[in-house]
Amino acid sequence: MKSTTASLFGAAFLFSPLVANAADDALIAAGEQQAAVCKACHQVDPNGITVVGPPLYGLADREIAAFSGFNYSDGLSANRVEGKTWDAESLDAFLTSPADFAPGTNMAYPGVKDPGARAAIIAWLATKNPTPPNWQSSDEAMPVKALGEGILTPDENMALVASTCSVCHSLHLVVQQGLSRDSWDETLEWMVDEQGMDELEDEEHERVLDYLATFYGE
């Protein structure tokens, strides 16, 4: 009887709001990391404005292709239906492949192929609304690949490099390079000066340089 009671207590704990909230927080944190590339072109603050693309705050209350004043492509505009706002299903389809969702889109981004990463990004986007919607995905339980996994060489600094470099371009461009440490340093400076990348702290800057020079050096 004691073991049965303990088992029931354990099961109740696993499905308690406390554990669920911890899981949600972990998914949201993973989504924010995965969405680093989004923030290169989109603001996510309540008073966000158009940068390269329209702001991402308030999508749950916004129809597709409906941010006032933004010049959307015909492909994305074709998805607009009066009264239908962005939801988990439409966001998942768009994130999977913007070009397939909206043929002719101006968004030069190949999409997120990892379903776990998409679920995490959607969970994070849900928090960027005045009243966060209950955007649930069947892929939420799937493990989220580390940023850069499957593209960059595995290393303790891979995620840092992925979040840094993906702000401006595809990570596939990184693996095609073969630069000296000095050239990588100049490239990082150029990304800050010309591409709007946030300047790294000295310690992170050195870690990124170490990784790039080691795995993608001359």
Side-chain angles (χ1 to χ4, degrees):
M1 184 66 178
K2 182 178 179 181
S3 61
T4 301
T5 302
S7 297
L8 289 174
F9 176 79
F13 177 75
L14 284 174
F15 292 100
S16 70
L18 180 64
V19 174
N21 289 339
D24 290 345
D25 290 345
L27 188 67
I28 290 166
E32 182 171 15
Q33 184 185 54
Q34 293 286 334
V37 64
C38 305
K39 291 185 283 187
C41 298
H42 302 272
Q43 292 190 354
V44 295
D45 300 321
N47 297 317
I49 60 174
T50 294
V51 186
V52 176
L56 300 180
Y57 190 87
L59 290 180
D61 298 319
R62 188 193 308 167
E63 295 175 358
I64 295 174
F67 186 75
S68 178
F70 187 77
N71 185 26
Y72 290 95
S73 65
D74 291 341
L76 192 57
S77 297
N79 286 276
R80 184 174 181 179
V81 177
E82 186 175 353
K84 177 174 173 53
T85 59
W86 285 100
D87 56 20
E89 183 179 3
S90 55
L91 284 169
D92 185 68
F94 180 77
L95 289 170
T96 300
S97 175
D100 288 342
F101 183 86
T105 179
N106 296 322
M107 184 171 169
Y109 182 67
V112 181
K113 305 311 177 188
D114 175 24
R118 293 198 303 273
I121 292 171
I122 291 168
W124 172 75
L125 283 172
T127 69
K128 302 303 178 182
N129 288 277
T131 302
N134 185 26
W135 283 344
Q136 294 186 334
S137 167
S138 60
D139 297 320
E140 284 185 2
M142 299 186 68
V144 181
K145 291 182 179 179
L147 200 60
E149 185 176 347
I151 302 175
L152 300 179
T153 302
D155 180 79
E156 62 180 356
N157 291 321
M158 180 185 72
L160 172 61
V161 172
S163 62
T164 299
C165 297
S166 63
V167 167
C168 299
H169 49 254
S170 167
L171 294 177
H172 292 284
L173 289 177
V174 174
V175 303
Q176 295 170 5
Q177 307 305 311
L179 305 178
S180 66
R181 185 184 179 88
D182 287 344
S183 293
W184 277 121
D185 197 17
E186 292 173 0
T187 300
L188 290 175
E189 290 181 6
W190 173 80
M191 288 169 65
V192 172
D193 295 339
E194 303 295 335
Q195 300 295 304
M197 186 184 85
D198 291 336
E199 189 168 4
L200 296 168
E201 297 290 338
D202 290 344
E203 184 265 341
E204 289 188 338
H205 185 89
E206 289 303 309
R207 287 169 55 197
V208 169
L209 278 181
D210 286 344
Y211 177 91
L212 292 173
T214 298
F215 298 109
Y216 305 106
E218 290 183 327

